[in-house]
Amino acid sequence: MESAPRPFGFWTATALVMGGMIGSGIFVLPAQLAPYGWTSVAAWIAGVGGALLIAWVLARLTAAMPEATGVVAICGAGLGPLPGVLVGWSYWVSVWSANAVIALTAIRYLAQFVPVLGATSLAQALSATVLLWLLTLLNLGGARLAGAFQVVTTLLKLLPLAAIVLILAGVALSGGGAFHAEAHPPFAWSQLTPALTLAFFAIVGFEAASVAAERVRDPARNVVRATLFGLGLTGLLYIAVCSGIIFALPTAEVANAQAPFALFVERFWGHQAGLATAAFAAIAAIGALNGWTLLQGEVPLGMARAGLLPRWVGRTSARDVPIPMLLLATTLASVLVLSNATRSLGGLLDFMLRLTAAAAIWLYIGACLTALVKRIAPVAAVAGLVFALWALLGAGLEAAGASVVLMLTALPLYWLRFGGGDLT
């Protein structure tokens, strides 16, 4: 097995976790979850709790096999090559499909300053495609450069979240009148499952340090700490911020907002503050796009180095960048964006959120099954498996079915690798 440089310490690994989570999801989900009302709060709590279970399983697996190139390789070692290839490939699909969503979200916030970027669905799609390729060019400079950019953008992207928290604290201290001004949909058991899957999209990314474990120094220690710390902190912010926006404003107004964070801040602090929030939200989305662009090359690279994919998939540049797979992933994300340029953005986002979540969930299922096979954290593995299947159910037949079809496109690579045709 080839080795790779390990430029990431604890804080960079934590930034990778938080950067993967804090991006498009939290900045669009107030609008997507507003119609669910109080059910959305329960969905957040369930989503964060389930993610913590899975995160603990991932951390224990990484600690038990620190020499592995990542959680995908661990699944391959525990379940066999074919399941390892399928869950790893499905996760790779979730990465580049998430990049399509993140790029569109960044454009929605940037359009607050340059309206032409979001004037039409086609303009949004073209702008998002340009942004995808700009971040790809950055990642061609190597993991160290991308990691440094990730730390900076993670710090900046916390600012709009902090602004929302400050406003919510002020509203609460003044008597909480805004929270009681409008009626919101009550909790409904029938709505919990679909709301959970939407909320879970924003949580996907907590496994980033586990997936890129071969880039992390002392992974048995740093991956565990970075994953649990990053997920716990981000989950608390999500519950407070998203729920606060939903309950402080009329449901219909939030549901129809193109930039719900900017709308919320503008309502309480004025137009200029709203624009500043839009700027930092755009930075947050771009930072998340950088982290996921890094992962879209690291996932197949780690699979190739673990022997799950043909060796040529793992070819890298002098800076250890898997250029062919990085370019392929960005091309596929661009096709996904452009092929849906004529659809309404709201409908496109809803489907892509569910597709991304469904494709990522297969990796969590594989990790929990691996933990059960290896008898590592069995209680958490069983609970995590049940949660993952529940979230997959909430994605709906269309998104879950599409995730399976895209997962199966890995079969030709598996046959090349294990059918005697391992081309170099």
Side-chain angles (χ1 to χ4, degrees):
M1 182 184 300
E2 300 178 46
S3 61
R6 294 181 180 266
F8 298 166
F10 167 73
W11 289 111
T12 304
T14 301
L16 191 61
V17 172
M18 297 183 69
M21 294 177 66
I22 303 174
S24 68
I26 190 59
F27 295 110
V28 298
L29 277 176
Q32 301 297 123
L33 287 173
Y36 292 94
W38 284 99
T39 308
S40 68
V41 180
W44 277 117
I45 295 172
V48 172
L52 282 169
L53 284 170
I54 296 171
W56 178 245
V57 173
L58 293 174
R60 291 291 303 276
L61 285 172
T62 302
M65 303 177 65
E67 75 286 351
T69 59
V71 67
V72 175
I74 291 173
C75 289
L79 301 177
L82 181 57
V85 168
L86 292 178
V87 300
W89 195 257
S90 183
Y91 184 74
W92 183 67
V93 169
S94 78
V95 171
W96 58 256
S97 62
N99 280 346
V101 179
I102 296 170
L104 285 167
T105 301
I107 295 303
R108 292 178 77 174
Y109 278 93
L110 289 173
Q112 304 298 308
F113 304 93
V114 187
V116 69
L117 296 178
T120 64
S121 296
L122 179 59
Q124 289 176 339
L126 291 173
S127 301
T129 301
V130 171
L131 185 58
L132 284 168
W133 284 100
L134 287 175
L135 268 297
T136 299
L137 290 176
L138 173 66
N139 274 266
L140 291 177
R144 189 178 299 276
L145 176 62
F149 183 80
Q150 192 67 33
V151 172
V152 173
T153 56
T154 296
L155 294 174
L156 291 175
K157 71 176 62 177
L158 293 175
L159 293 178
L161 297 179
I164 301 297
V165 170
L166 287 174
I167 293 175
L168 292 173
V171 172
L173 290 174
S174 64
F179 297 130
H180 308 294
E182 299 284 341
H184 295 87
F187 174 79
W189 279 108
S190 61
Q191 297 297 307
L192 181 57
T193 300
L196 167 69
T197 304
L198 284 175
F200 196 64
F201 168 82
I203 301 171
V204 168
F206 66 87
E207 73 290 335
S210 297
V211 171
E214 73 167 338
R215 301 290 186 181
V216 181
R217 294 190 297 272
D218 190 8
R221 180 168 177 262
N222 285 328
V223 168
V224 174
R225 295 191 304 150
T227 300
L228 296 178
F229 178 76
L231 171 58
L233 178 58
T234 307
L236 290 175
L237 282 172
Y238 276 6
I239 294 172
V241 168
C242 186
S243 300
I245 292 175
I246 289 174
F247 290 111
L249 297 175
T251 297
E253 191 172 355
V254 179
N256 293 319
Q258 289 291 305
F261 266 56
L263 169 70
F264 179 81
V265 173
E266 181 175 349
R267 178 64 54 85
F268 289 92
W269 282 356
H271 181 64
Q272 294 302 318
L275 286 179
T277 301
F280 284 112
I283 291 172
I286 292 171
L289 183 58
N290 172 69
W292 284 95
T293 301
L294 171 68
L295 284 181
Q296 74 183 16
E298 291 298 313
V299 172
L301 173 62
M303 293 174 68
R305 284 176 167 166
L308 294 174
L309 292 179
R311 288 188 294 273
W312 56 264
V313 173
R315 288 178 179 169
T316 60
S317 67
R319 295 181 177 178
D320 201 39
V321 178
I323 293 178
M325 298 307 295
L326 192 62
L327 297 180
L328 174 61
T330 299
T331 299
L332 292 171
S334 301
V335 170
L336 182 59
V337 171
L338 294 173
S339 64
N340 288 278
T342 58
R343 294 180 60 175
S344 69
L345 187 56
L348 170 60
L349 280 176
D350 184 79
F351 173 73
M352 292 173 66
L353 288 168
R354 296 182 186 279
L355 171 61
T356 301
I361 286 168
W362 287 109
L363 176 65
Y364 308 145
I365 291 173
C368 290
L369 290 174
T370 301
L372 289 174
V373 168
K374 291 185 169 294
R375 298 181 180 179
I376 295 173
V379 176
V382 170
L385 180 61
V386 171
F387 170 81
L389 292 172
W390 178 26
L392 184 63
L393 176 66
L397 183 60
E398 182 185 13
S403 73
V404 172
V405 171
L406 289 169
M407 180 198 302
L408 294 178
T409 61
L411 288 177
L413 289 175
Y414 171 79
W415 290 326
L416 278 174
R417 172 64 183 88
F418 295 96
D422 184 7
L423 303 176
T424 59

